[in-house]
Amino acid sequence: MHDAFILHADCGTQDHVGRLSQERVSALGSYLRDRGLRTWFEYERVHGPVLDTTCSAIDDSEVVLVLVTQAALDRVAGSNGPSDTFKKLFECASRSRLTYDLGEVDL
């Protein structure tokens, strides 16, 4: 069981001030772990079939944190096709989780 699953779509991209999104998400995971939360950050733990492993982790988490960017919204809308991994993971998370809008958070 995990307290929080961290899902994001922008691996390797930079924000408006040049920070890599992967590093920012990793920093968020470290911040939460330093405060005693058990997190799942997919790039730290995926072994074997990505969708099966990751959807199981989503199902085993209390909360799913989806870090929303324009790229994430585009992918959920199908810009990379119906089989896009992020789109599938977002659908997995949304079928069993409540949704909250926390607004913009600068990491």
Side-chain angles (χ1 to χ4, degrees):
M1 184 60 115
H2 309 283
D3 295 308
F5 182 98
I6 304 170
L7 178 61
H8 73 103
D10 300 328
C11 184
T13 61
Q14 294 182 340
D15 67 8
H16 64 284
V17 293
R19 299 174 296 186
L20 287 173
S21 65
Q22 185 80 8
E23 293 170 356
R24 294 173 67 202
V25 175
S26 184
L28 173 62
S30 294
Y31 177 86
L32 295 172
R33 281 190 301 278
D34 288 348
R35 280 143 188 84
L37 296 174
R38 295 162 301 175
T39 64
W40 176 286
F41 174 37
E42 74 266 20
Y43 295 101
E44 297 173 343
R45 298 186 178 212
V46 173
H47 305 289
V50 173
L51 284 175
D52 292 342
T53 301
T54 311
C55 280
S56 291
I58 287 171
D59 291 339
D60 290 340
S61 297
E62 291 293 321
V63 172
V64 177
L65 301 174
V66 180
L67 306 182
V68 179
T69 61
Q70 188 58 53
L73 294 173
D74 292 345
R75 290 178 70 180
V76 168
S79 67
N80 288 356
S83 298
D84 178 72
T85 302
F86 180 80
K87 178 178 173 50
K88 295 284 188 186
L89 294 175
F90 182 85
E91 291 167 352
C92 178
S94 65
R95 73 171 178 247
S96 63
R97 300 283 180 233
L98 296 174
T99 304
Y100 297 94
D101 181 359
L102 300 178
E104 185 174 326
V105 177
D106 187 23
L107 301 174

